[in-house]
Amino acid sequence: MTDPNDAKSPTPSAAAPKRKRRRWWLIILVVVVIGLFTLAMSYLHLLIFLYSLNDHAMTNFPAYTVKDSYGHTIRYFELKQTNAEWNLVYIHGTPGDASAFRVQFDEPFPNANLLALERPGFVDSKPARRRPSLADQADALSALLTNSPPHKTILIGHSYGGPIAVQAALKFTNQVAGVILIGGSVDPAQEHVMLIQRIGDWPIISWILPRAARQCNRELITLKGDLIRLKPQLANLSVPVLMLHGEKDNLVPFANVAYMRAQLDAAGKSNLFDALTFPAYNHFIPWEHPDAVAAATRKLISDIQQQSKMN
């Protein structure tokens, strides 16, 4: 008697072509994935290379390299002006370099010495592979915070450079007179790590990434935890903080302004907070709206002078 189920089962000769087709589809899928990955890596390397060309825009200004007691080797650009009363230290975001503030060097704020560093992990500053943290990046500013009289130092941080400036102001209280956050990331609730970022931090993938992209990814992955640890420290701020933010910022949400205001209000230090906000501005204020950076600097200096009179 013939088993009726036998008619439903494919014969060996019929199953073989199906297995062969599946094998070919698998091979094609693997080749496509590898091809897309290679294309993406090549494109990323090209973008980083093209971006690195911006660094040449700073060659008109003296560059220095300094080592600090925290194990950093920092390259920075400096523009000194006669009759300077202030030191303005510019801190770039991630990824980035000193050229983010090229316009500020081309049109220098009066009565001030300008310094723009390249943070550890970017361009020629080292170490290149230390696990990033806001505290470590703030330590890297120490060599630039001499603050010898009569100069007073203002930290101006863009994007990821914003919370670094805040962290440094909390640690180097005698060297920092005030802080400007340009599109600064300070609210941990606004930080979200995507799956592709986690994959990019896998050792083999991380090794393939361009150095700047690798460092950027590592900084963004650890930022939320750093901001959570920074939050209870904000009540200890003792210098004026001014936030310069665009309402159309799609990279660092505008909600960061309300967060910082609320933190200082809760600490009874609303007098230390100020903000300049612009409905039409995006994240790239330093080079697209340098007049706003200058206005923020003037405003903060006024706030610092008022606080000094009150004290």
Side-chain angles (χ1 to χ4, degrees):
M1 181 178 295
T2 304
D3 189 339
N5 293 325
D6 291 346
K8 299 178 182 179
S9 303
T11 63
S13 58
K18 291 183 178 180
R19 287 197 297 271
K20 189 174 182 180
R21 284 196 296 271
R22 284 197 297 268
R23 190 180 303 115
W24 275 109
W25 277 115
L26 181 60
I27 292 172
I28 292 172
L29 179 61
V30 170
V31 170
V32 169
V33 170
I34 293 175
L36 290 175
F37 178 79
T38 302
L39 182 63
M41 288 298 103
S42 300
Y43 180 66
L44 188 56
H45 276 271
L46 178 61
L47 284 180
I48 294 296
F49 169 75
L50 293 175
Y51 183 82
S52 70
L53 297 179
N54 290 331
D55 190 51
H56 296 289
M58 299 295 289
T59 55
N60 292 333
F61 305 100
Y64 304 93
T65 300
V66 62
K67 294 183 179 181
D68 63 21
S69 59
Y70 298 96
H72 304 107
T73 300
I74 303 300
R75 186 175 79 154
Y76 68 97
F77 294 86
E78 184 175 37
L79 173 61
K80 290 188 174 182
Q81 300 190 83
T82 56
N83 302 319
E85 300 177 14
W86 301 87
N87 288 334
L88 306 181
V89 179
Y90 296 96
I91 310 164
H92 66 78
T94 188
D97 54 47
S99 67
F101 301 102
R102 180 184 68 251
V103 179
Q104 280 67 46
F105 273 64
D106 288 339
E107 303 170 7
F109 192 85
N111 304 115
N113 297 321
L114 278 58
L115 300 92
L117 81 158
E118 288 169 340
R119 300 192 290 101
F122 297 97
V123 197
D124 292 328
S125 293
K126 300 174 182 178
R129 295 189 64 84
R130 182 184 295 182
R131 197 68 186 178
S133 71
L134 293 179
D136 184 62
Q137 292 286 323
D139 288 342
L141 294 173
S142 62
L144 306 184
L145 300 181
T146 56
N147 206 44
S148 57
H151 302 147
K152 295 182 179 180
T153 297
I154 293 174
L155 302 181
I156 304 174
H158 177 229
S159 194
Y160 185 93
I164 293 174
V166 173
Q167 188 83 65
L170 286 163
K171 181 166 186 175
F172 305 108
T173 54
N174 294 326
Q175 287 80 26
V176 178
V179 175
I180 297 176
L181 312 182
I182 307 175
S185 307
V186 289
D187 183 359
Q190 304 302 323
E191 299 303 318
H192 308 284
V193 178
M194 297 181 290
L195 176 60
I196 192 171
Q197 290 177 268
R198 299 291 186 190
I199 295 174
D201 200 39
W202 291 352
I204 188 170
I205 305 298
S206 177
W207 181 78
I208 297 172
L209 289 173
R211 176 185 171 189
R214 178 176 63 244
Q215 183 70 9
C216 169
N217 190 46
R218 296 167 75 218
E219 289 183 339
L220 293 178
I221 287 175
T222 57
L223 179 56
K224 185 181 183 74
D226 284 344
L227 293 179
I228 291 173
R229 287 183 285 273
L230 179 64
K231 181 177 180 179
Q233 302 176 51
L234 296 177
N236 298 324
L237 277 169
S238 58
V239 298
V241 176
L242 187 148
M243 295 191 75
L244 172 58
H245 216 110
E247 294 184 28
K248 289 189 176 180
D249 191 330
N250 295 321
L251 296 178
V252 177
F254 185 68
N256 279 273
V257 178
Y259 170 83
M260 181 60 86
R261 186 190 301 275
Q263 295 303 310
L264 291 180
D265 282 351
K269 296 184 176 182
S270 57
N271 60 309
L272 294 181
F273 182 82
D274 206 345
L276 291 179
T277 61
F278 296 87
Y281 288 6
N282 59 28
H283 189 63
F284 308 113
I285 293 175
W287 51 93
E288 291 187 357
H289 304 286
D291 54 329
V293 178
T297 306
R298 285 192 297 271
K299 183 69 175 70
L300 184 69
I301 288 176
S302 175
D303 292 344
I304 292 171
Q305 291 170 338
Q306 289 180 13
Q307 289 294 325
S308 179
K309 291 178 181 178
M310 293 175 61
N311 296 332

